Amino acid sequence: MGFLTGKKFLITGISSNRSIAYGIAKACAREGAELALSYNNERFKERVQGFADEFGAGQVIKLDASFDESIDLAALELANRWTDGFDGFVHSIGWAPRESISGSFLEGASREGFLSAMNVSVYSYIAMAKRMVPLMAGHKASLLTLSYLGGEKVVPNYNTMGLCKAALESATRYIAADVGPQGIRANTLSCGPIKTLAASGIKGFSSMLAQCKAVSPSRSLVSIDEVGNTAAFLLSDNSLGITAETIYIDGGFNALACCVDQTASENA
């Protein structure tokens, strides 16, 4: 029996079997959780349904988190599916215009792009929590969102998405304070760079991967399975004492000063 047996979670953001959300869903299913998967537009419905079939997650749910109406309809569907409530969700949703994640931060920034990126990447998390937390009443529920080091430190080309991740981590703390008295937790998982479809849109991402592998204390990149295992723990009752936190899973890269060369240091 897995440590998530009897738990029910909504997982958003699976676009391929290389997605971080896929690794999370895989780990949760392995540990006995009952899952519901969402898709944001018709182009991905069939693909996500294939993953839902793999995890025994039933029919996929339409959820375009940039619109309150879509979140409301998804919450209604979840309420009908899980009449006794459910135990949390994974928010794996992020987007910024291509020009906002390439080259100069200021040159690529625009009011429209900034507001759109914040709506999709940050407010969607808040809106989902606002609408779905009432469906978790009486459950030791856990909310989880995904961030990256670019929300805390300057990462070349991450630009507007870095601002979004900083806001996302702050939102987690405020959400955790709000829902804590109900026995519900909220945390952020800050992953090291992983070669996903979303990451491929960031200019210079291959260099980012190489540097992380070369200088991180573990001398390795994290995998979606490693992220999935950590996420499953944070969603479980084994982590009841952890809330309002940003947990790093990046081989220790976040602890280093910029561009530290361990070999050079040892030979100095």
Side-chain angles (χ1 to χ4, degrees):
M1 181 180 293
F3 59 74
L4 289 176
T5 298
K7 295 282 192 178
K8 299 181 285 290
F9 300 105
L10 168 67
I11 310 288
T12 70
I14 297 181
S15 58
S16 77
N17 60 5
R18 292 189 296 155
S19 299
I20 294 174
Y22 176 89
I24 294 174
K26 180 181 175 182
C28 290
R30 182 196 68 219
E31 295 301 330
E34 183 179 345
L35 304 178
L37 306 186
S38 72
Y39 66 99
N40 71 328
N41 63 56
E42 295 301 318
R43 184 162 62 98
F44 292 103
K45 181 178 181 180
E46 186 175 348
R47 183 189 304 178
V48 178
Q49 184 61 59
F51 299 134
D53 294 342
E54 177 183 347
F55 300 131
Q59 287 297 116
V60 293
I61 295 173
K62 174 69 179 293
L63 197 166
D64 184 340
S66 58
F67 296 98
D68 288 335
E69 296 82 358
S70 184
I71 295 174
D72 288 344
L73 289 173
L76 180 61
E77 189 164 347
L78 287 170
N80 290 332
R81 178 180 299 194
W82 292 325
T83 55
D84 59 343
F86 65 106
D87 301 280
F89 64 75
V90 174
H91 173 271
S92 179
I93 299 169
W95 176 87
R98 184 169 293 273
E99 65 272 16
S100 297
I101 49 174
S102 176
S104 166
F105 165 63
L106 290 177
E107 288 180 8
S110 68
R111 188 180 303 276
E112 181 181 4
F114 175 83
L115 293 176
S116 296
M118 281 288 180
N119 179 39
V120 175
S121 306
V122 185
Y123 188 73
S124 59
Y125 177 42
I126 299 167
M128 285 179 62
K130 187 173 182 176
R131 182 62 180 83
M132 295 182 182
V133 161
L135 303 179
M136 304 172 197
H139 292 249
K140 294 178 181 177
S142 178
L143 315 182
L144 186 64
T145 191
L146 301 178
S147 187
Y148 175 59
L149 187 62
E152 180 184 347
K153 304 186 188 304
V154 175
V155 172
N157 300 308
Y158 205 58
N159 298 351
T160 296
M161 187 54 73
L163 275 63
C164 290
K165 293 304 187 184
L168 194 66
E169 292 177 17
S170 183
T172 287
R173 293 187 286 271
Y174 278 92
I175 289 171
D178 235 21
V179 302
Q182 303 173 51
I184 300 173
R185 298 175 296 116
N187 289 291
T188 302
L189 194 57
S190 184
C191 311
I194 297 175
K195 197 171 184 179
T196 63
L197 288 176
S200 65
I202 301 171
K203 184 179 179 181
F205 187 74
S206 295
S207 298
M208 192 185 301
L209 287 170
Q211 184 190 34
C212 186
K213 184 175 182 179
V215 305
S216 65
S218 69
R219 296 298 196 277
S220 63
L221 298 172
V222 297
S223 68
I224 62 170
D225 291 327
E226 290 167 335
V227 175
N229 290 337
T230 304
F233 165 72
L234 289 172
L235 291 168
S236 76
D237 290 349
N238 293 328
S239 60
L240 288 179
I242 303 174
T243 192
E245 295 290 347
T246 296
I247 308 295
Y248 293 94
I249 176 166
D250 62 0
F253 185 77
N254 73 90
L256 302 179
C258 183
C259 302
V260 167
D261 186 333
Q262 298 275 57
T263 303
S265 298
E266 291 167 1
N267 294 335

